Amino acid sequence: MVVTVSLVALFGLVLFFLLRSRTLGAGAAFIAAGFGFFLASTGAAKPINTLAASLIETVQNL
């Protein structure tokens, strides 16, 4: 739960700055999609949360 809330805040902040600076592209689309998936509790949210948790754990173990 803590990881999900943190990722929503991170994606939301990055998306806000990308939209404010009018930077559009593949990166902005990825951030927007990630923000949407974490914000909404869809059927795809659980696999995405699992993937994000695995990536975070992997980065911590490096």
Side-chain angles (χ1 to χ4, degrees):
M1 177 69 175
V2 174
V3 172
T4 303
V5 172
S6 299
L7 287 175
V8 167
L10 177 66
F11 280 133
L13 188 63
V14 171
L15 181 60
F16 172 77
F17 284 114
L18 286 173
L19 291 173
R20 186 158 187 216
S21 67
R22 298 178 194 240
T23 304
L24 300 173
F30 173 76
I31 296 297
F35 180 70
F37 274 117
F38 281 109
L39 189 58
S41 294
T42 64
K46 185 176 180 182
I48 292 172
N49 286 335
T50 304
L51 175 65
S54 298
L55 289 173
I56 291 169
E57 184 178 329
T58 301
V59 168
Q60 288 177 348
N61 291 330
L62 290 178

